[in-house]
Amino acid sequence: MIRSMTGFGAGHGAAGGEALDVEVRSVNHKFCEVKIRLPRELSALEPDALKLVKERLARGGVDVSIRRAGPAGGLAPRVDLGLAEAYARAFEELRTRLGLPGGATLADVAAADGVLTLDEPALDVDAARAALRAAMAVALDALVAMRGREGEALARDLGGRLDGVEELVTRIAALVPQTVEHHRARLAERVAELTRGIPLDPARLAQEVALFADRTDVTEEVTRLRSHLGQARTLLRGGEPAGRKLDFLVQEMHREVNTIGSKSQSAEIAALVVTAKAEVERMREQVQNVE
């Protein structure tokens, strides 16, 4: 079954004291274009994340967000006791010299520049890589499942439209002989009016009708169009990415329908062609979201 290119998945992974949260979003794109956002300290893991995405997805614009989670990802406060003592002595000396009341408080010392700093914990790259694989597996599983569900809906819609176009093609094929016969009768009537009783040459009339039938013959177009419809149905049932092939087939369907319309000399066939073109155009829009 085909898959959509639109989806979302999130996952959490932990290993060896490292914990990562991952979110993966995907939208339509002609190719597989991956953008990864992650903290500076995790930059070494970007190639791993890119490889994991491309192993699972064939097409789509993919946005991956990675962040450290839990205690291992938090900032650790560090106290410079020597500096704090120096500030405390300086505050006391200042109070004494200026004859000010009170004294320095803990808040005053802690707020002094450099006394309290926040340090990032050192990264265990191997543990983070293992956590990344676990988180990406969960996120990509969810993303692929969502794309699969949307793909089923797309397949149902496209299948219905393929059936609709085939029905229109069958009606067009049935009308073509009637169009030729109508042209023969109308031509004979017009020639009879112009010749005013002069005997009509049946061979000449048959030749003109044959020329008209050849100009309006759409047998090849109908055969190719039915072949394209059958190939599209096969792709919808398959398990491989089929977006590009479907896009090509829909373009070919559009070309065949246009050719049928240009050959048509019947208002009824022309109306059916307009309806068929509208259905093919709707399929073209839907196919843009197929992986």
Side-chain angles (χ1 to χ4, degrees):
M1 186 64 69
I2 61 171
R3 296 190 307 199
S4 164
M5 283 192 283
T6 303
F8 171 81
H12 175 83
E18 292 291 344
L20 299 180
D21 286 325
V22 171
E23 290 185 352
V24 185
R25 294 174 172 82
S26 68
V27 295
N28 300 0
H29 199 279
K30 287 184 178 180
F31 308 102
C32 185
E33 181 176 285
V34 185
K35 296 180 181 179
I36 299 174
R37 292 180 292 123
L38 72 176
R40 184 185 68 257
E41 68 269 21
L42 296 177
S43 59
L45 301 182
E46 184 171 348
D48 298 84
L50 180 62
K51 180 182 178 183
L52 290 169
V53 170
K54 293 203 168 186
E55 285 175 351
R56 299 289 300 275
L57 306 178
R59 292 178 70 199
V62 185
D63 185 7
V64 181
S65 175
I66 304 170
R67 65 182 181 86
R68 295 177 81 181
L75 297 176
R78 183 176 62 84
V79 180
D80 189 332
L81 291 175
L83 185 60
E85 290 172 352
Y87 272 118
R89 288 193 298 268
F91 289 151
E92 181 60 24
E93 182 181 352
L94 184 63
R95 184 193 68 79
T96 302
R97 291 216 175 178
L98 297 179
L100 298 175
T105 66
L106 175 62
D108 295 329
V109 176
D113 187 33
V115 172
L116 283 177
T117 57
L118 294 175
D119 290 342
E120 293 181 350
L123 177 71
D124 183 336
V125 176
D126 292 335
R129 182 171 286 110
L132 175 68
R133 292 195 185 102
M136 289 290 290
V138 175
L140 288 170
D141 283 346
L143 175 74
V144 169
M146 183 174 180
R147 285 164 62 125
R149 290 191 296 272
E150 290 208 9
E152 290 175 2
L154 280 173
R156 287 193 297 270
D157 181 81
L158 289 169
R161 297 192 187 282
L162 290 171
D163 291 342
V165 171
E166 183 150 29
E167 181 183 349
L168 291 168
V169 171
T170 299
R171 292 170 63 185
I172 289 170
L175 285 171
V176 170
Q178 299 177 28
T179 302
V180 174
E181 179 56 30
H182 177 69
H183 178 74
R184 188 201 65 76
R186 186 174 57 182
L187 182 62
E189 182 181 344
R190 284 161 57 185
V191 170
E193 289 177 0
L194 292 173
T195 56
R196 299 182 182 279
I198 299 175
L200 180 64
D201 182 359
R204 180 60 178 166
L205 178 61
Q207 183 181 14
E208 290 297 328
V209 172
L211 289 172
F212 175 82
D214 184 63
R215 288 196 306 271
T216 59
D217 181 38
V218 294
T219 301
E220 292 184 7
E221 288 78 8
V222 167
T223 299
R224 286 194 295 266
L225 190 48
R226 283 175 170 158
S227 173
H228 298 332
L229 293 168
Q231 291 179 65
R233 287 194 183 93
T234 299
L235 290 173
L236 291 181
R237 292 191 297 267
E240 297 297 320
R244 290 177 182 168
K245 292 180 181 179
L246 285 170
D247 188 35
F248 170 77
L249 287 172
V250 169
Q251 291 181 39
E252 289 300 297
M253 290 179 204
H254 193 270
R255 188 171 67 84
E256 301 299 348
V257 171
N258 273 339
T259 304
I260 292 172
S262 66
K263 287 186 174 184
S264 170
Q265 299 293 321
S266 162
E268 192 172 357
I269 290 178
L272 293 174
V273 166
V274 169
T275 303
K277 286 172 68 174
E279 285 298 296
V280 172
E281 179 60 25
R282 292 189 187 99
M283 282 194 287
R284 188 192 68 80
E285 294 173 358
Q286 291 286 54
V287 162
Q288 301 310 307
N289 196 33
V290 176
E291 183 182 14

